[in-house]
Amino acid sequence: MIVVTGATGHVGNVLLRELAAHGAAHLRAVLEPGESSARLENLDVQTVEADMREYNALLTAFEGADVVFHLAGIVSIGSTGMARLREVNVEGTRNVIAACRAANVRRLIYTSSVHAFVELPPGTCLDETTAIDPDRVRGPYATTKAEATLLVFAAAREGLDAVVVFPSGIIGPYDFRPSETGQLIIDCFQGRLKAYVEGAYNFVDVRDVVQGLISAATKGRRGEGYILSGHEVTVKELLSTVELLTGARAPRWRLHFGFTRAVCFLIPVYYWLKRERPLFTTYSLDVLASNCLMSHAKAQRELGFSPRPFEQTIADTLSWFRRAGML
């Protein structure tokens, strides 16, 4: 039995599809109470409801499980909401660990984030030896992911068979929500972007992350972490790729980082007036200006991880958005 928490999220959804496509039997998807299972339609998957904050519900969800992929959590590019983030990301992971022990789960695969690592100076390459310190990372999301990651590593030292993966910025097909980057691609295609911000980030295809997760379950070493990164891409390069593939004109007006950072306090007001979810925040702007040089050499060496070309990811993402009626 394979159990996946956060099953309707971007990674969880693709993971279940990949497992089902390769004949994995007895798949169980853990949904939040009241959450729709529509994204899992046509998949031979058992669904159960469990709040990450409720240990007893997780214990029931993990009954008979051989492997648990823990993906559930709150992803945030904001600078507030620490209490809720800690409840789900940290205390939820603590409950998952305890439930895995009590249910005699053979292996736990926890999906952390590269944001759990302490940011390194420009030109320095981040790898799995980089420190994880909740007091030295940027923003509530990174803080809670660092705290949760340390809980999993501590549990591994105490005997739990657990492996951690650290994806970078995830993009790709089956982005139902869509993510902030997915929405940026859609807005570019629809001609809604009049300008772009300076900066870059490391993006990885969701399908490559899923392959890394599956490999971690079979090949990963207990108590080890693996960075699943892709390609360092500037915002301009991302939008230019959309233009190249679709003919939609990418914005030509560049907003310098100093300017956008100076007026970032107006960003929440702007999106509130438009009644839209923010694509950029103070936190995300700082991330785009940070060092995004990172190595997946360990995952490549031990898990066979190999990210596909970035242009292929964008092409496939656009194709899926079309099929889903989102363009």
Side-chain angles (χ1 to χ4, degrees):
M1 169 75 72
I2 298 175
V3 178
V4 178
T5 72
T8 62
H10 195 185
V11 180
N13 186 282
V14 177
L15 174 61
L16 283 167
R17 291 176 185 275
E18 184 68 15
L19 290 169
H22 285 80
H26 308 299
L27 298 175
R28 181 180 295 160
V30 181
L31 311 181
E32 288 293 313
E35 185 179 15
S36 171
S37 62
R39 296 177 184 176
L40 305 177
E41 62 183 357
N42 301 322
L43 290 177
D44 185 15
V45 176
Q46 175 193 7
T47 59
V48 298
E49 291 188 350
D51 191 316
M52 293 300 108
R53 298 168 294 183
E54 297 180 4
Y55 165 77
N56 289 331
L58 288 171
L59 185 58
T60 300
F62 295 171
E63 183 179 356
D66 182 51
V67 177
V68 170
F69 290 94
H70 179 36
L71 301 164
I74 299 174
V75 179
S76 173
I77 62 170
S79 55
T80 59
M82 174 62 88
R84 183 165 176 263
L85 283 164
R86 179 162 280 125
E87 280 185 358
V88 176
N89 293 354
V90 181
E91 298 309 316
T93 300
R94 193 189 305 275
N95 288 336
V96 165
I97 292 169
C100 282
R101 284 171 168 154
N104 295 315
V105 172
R106 181 182 63 82
R107 168 156 280 198
L108 168 64
I109 308 298
Y110 173 59
T111 301
S112 182
S113 166
V114 292
H115 292 287
F117 292 107
V118 174
E119 184 181 326
L120 298 178
T124 308
C125 187
L126 180 146
D127 63 18
E128 291 82 0
T129 65
T130 304
I132 298 174
D133 185 346
D135 295 327
R136 296 164 57 200
V137 294
R138 190 197 309 263
Y141 172 68
T143 299
T144 57
K145 294 303 282 187
E147 291 178 358
T149 301
L150 292 177
L151 287 177
V152 176
F153 280 140
R157 289 193 298 271
E158 294 165 1
L160 181 67
D161 189 348
V163 179
V164 179
V165 300
F166 299 90
S168 56
I170 299 172
I171 57 175
Y174 297 98
D175 191 1
F176 287 97
R177 191 175 177 235
S179 63
E180 284 79 9
T181 307
Q183 188 63 55
L184 187 69
I185 292 170
I186 293 171
D187 287 352
C188 179
F189 175 82
Q190 295 177 338
R192 299 178 62 193
L193 293 178
K194 306 307 177 186
Y196 68 92
V197 297
E198 289 183 323
Y201 194 54
N202 189 293
F203 294 102
V204 62
D205 192 297
V206 64
R207 295 164 295 182
D208 296 330
V209 171
V210 162
Q211 289 301 323
L213 283 164
I214 294 172
S215 293
T218 57
K219 301 177 182 178
R221 291 182 288 133
R222 187 182 86 181
E224 293 292 324
Y226 299 91
I227 291 174
L228 306 181
S229 58
H231 309 281
E232 185 176 341
V233 180
T234 67
V235 176
K236 181 180 180 180
E237 288 170 341
L238 188 156
L239 300 177
S240 296
T241 303
V242 174
E243 180 180 70
L244 176 68
L245 294 171
T246 66
R249 183 176 172 84
R252 299 307 196 255
W253 185 27
R254 180 183 63 182
L255 298 176
H256 291 278
F257 178 77
F259 169 77
T260 53
R261 194 64 177 79
V263 300
C264 62
F265 68 94
L266 295 173
I267 292 176
V269 177
Y270 170 78
Y271 284 107
W272 179 80
L273 289 172
K274 294 187 70 177
R275 291 179 170 82
E276 294 178 356
R277 178 166 54 97
L279 294 182
F280 296 100
T281 62
T282 302
Y283 174 74
S284 64
L285 289 173
D286 287 342
V287 168
L288 289 174
S290 66
N291 176 19
C292 56
L293 183 63
M294 53 192 72
S295 171
H296 56 252
K298 181 180 177 181
Q300 186 172 23
R301 184 174 63 252
E302 298 189 19
L303 307 181
F305 178 74
S306 180
R308 69 197 68 200
F310 178 73
E311 185 174 309
Q312 180 185 340
T313 295
I314 298 299
D316 292 347
T317 302
L318 285 163
S319 179
W320 184 85
F321 278 147
R322 287 193 186 95
R323 295 197 305 272
M326 298 170 71
L327 293 180

